[in-house]
Amino acid sequence: MVTVAEERRFTRAAARLHVAQPSVSSAIAALEHELGAPLFHRERNEVTLTGAGEVFLPWARQVLADCESGASAVRDLLGLKRGRLALGSTPSLTTNLLPPVIAAFHEAHPGLDLMLHEAGSPDLVDRLEKGEMDLAVVILPVNRPWVHTTELKDEELVLAVNHSHDLAGRRSIRVADLEHTPLVMFKDGYDLRETTLSACRQAGFSPTLVMQGLEMDGALALATAGVGAVVVPESVIAPGGPLRGVHFRNAAMKRTIGLASRRDRPFSPAAQAFVAALHEHLRPG
């Protein structure tokens, strides 16, 4: 039922599940008979959820997530020799924070499959709610009552410019200096986008965006080419590379990195091992 709801076609759902399409149709019909209500409107080109389907879908996802949790608990009894951990992270954190953590985790537990999903914090939190991942490294705050968060570190943001940019020679700048600085901007849902736009709004202006809808690699490439500047974590700028990170006065642009998980689910041993590797990496010295 969940797969049909996501794919909106029985044929696509069957292909994704690697079963014959009639088997999917029969299973849905049997479920609808048991529930006493149709779950889908069958239309020529696609299927859509009925009111009963909308109500039932979150419960169906919860059942699948609970089944996976049960299977994970059994795998954990094997001493972390095999199993999987579903992790979420924002793209910038995947680039600069997680690689050494993932390497240490994989070396200590080579039998565990680590599944990583990159997205903005709002999307990651939504996936946590659906049970699609075990934990996520996000940008705080996260205002969801069912989400437990732990602060990991504060990270300073800088303005990335190429070496011929007008601001490249400055030791520091104010947020107000961005008013007349063309920017390249990340796509909707990215934390860095909202952080930058919010800081500009608080300073009383709307920035000039010469291009938007970008991923991290694209934004850095365009900044290198001189198309515009971009606000990024200082750690993504390679020392001696084509970009310089200009600091904001009084660390006016920064963000808080945190770990998010569901309150109703304790960490599995695999999750505990990953969190331990993460804290070890962040430990001073």
Side-chain angles (χ1 to χ4, degrees), residues 144-160:
R144 303 283 184 93
W146 51 267
V147 174
H148 174 73
T149 58
T150 303
E151 289 190 11
L152 295 175
K153 63 176 292 189
D154 287 331
E155 184 174 43
E156 186 175 354
L157 303 179
V158 298
L159 185 69

Side-chain angles (χ1 to χ4, degrees), residues 68-275:
E68 175 58 30
S69 295
S72 295
V74 174
R75 290 193 294 263
D76 289 333
L77 290 178
L78 300 176
L80 296 177
K81 293 182 179 178
R82 59 186 177 91
R84 66 186 292 272
L85 178 67
L87 173 69
S89 172
T90 66
S92 61
L93 296 178
T94 302
T95 300
N96 60 28
L97 173 64
L98 290 186
V101 179
I102 292 174
F105 179 81
H106 181 68
E107 182 178 2
H109 309 288
L112 289 176
D113 291 329
L114 184 60
M115 312 296 292
L116 179 64
H117 178 79
E118 287 185 301
S121 293
D123 182 56
L124 294 176
V125 172
D126 288 341
R127 288 175 179 269
L128 271 177
E129 181 178 15
K130 296 174 183 177
E132 296 177 4
M133 58 184 58
D134 301 297
L135 48 88
V137 185
V138 299
I139 305 304
L140 300 180
V142 172
N143 298 314
R144 303 283 184 93
W146 51 267
V147 174
H148 174 73
T149 58
T150 303
E151 289 190 11
L152 295 175
K153 63 176 292 189
D154 287 331
E155 184 174 43
E156 186 175 354
L157 303 179
V158 298
L159 185 69
V161 297
N162 68 14
H163 292 282
S164 62
H165 194 279
D166 291 343
L167 298 178
R170 298 273 293 274
R171 294 185 59 185
S172 65
I173 59 173
R174 302 167 301 155
V175 173
D177 291 324
L178 298 182
E179 183 173 6
H180 304 294
T181 302
L183 300 178
V184 293
M185 185 54 63
F186 300 99
K187 66 182 183 180
D188 288 334
Y190 270 42
D191 306 278
L192 287 168
R193 176 189 178 92
E194 181 52 37
T195 299
T196 302
L197 296 180
S198 177
C200 292
R201 286 194 297 266
Q202 292 178 12
F205 67 93
S206 296
T208 300
L209 306 181
V210 293
M211 187 168 289
Q212 35 186 329
L214 300 169
E215 304 278 357
M216 177 64 73
D217 288 347
L220 294 177
L222 289 173
T224 299
V227 176
V230 61
V231 175
V232 296
E234 185 177 18
S235 55
V236 307
I237 300 178
L243 291 174
R244 179 173 184 270
V246 184
H247 290 260
F248 290 92
R249 293 176 190 171
N250 303 314
M253 295 276 278
K254 63 181 180 178
R255 63 182 186 174
T256 301
I257 302 168
L259 190 67
S261 61
R262 290 179 57 139
R263 291 186 182 276
D264 61 346
R265 293 188 183 175
F267 282 163
S268 67
Q272 291 174 5
F274 183 85
V275 172

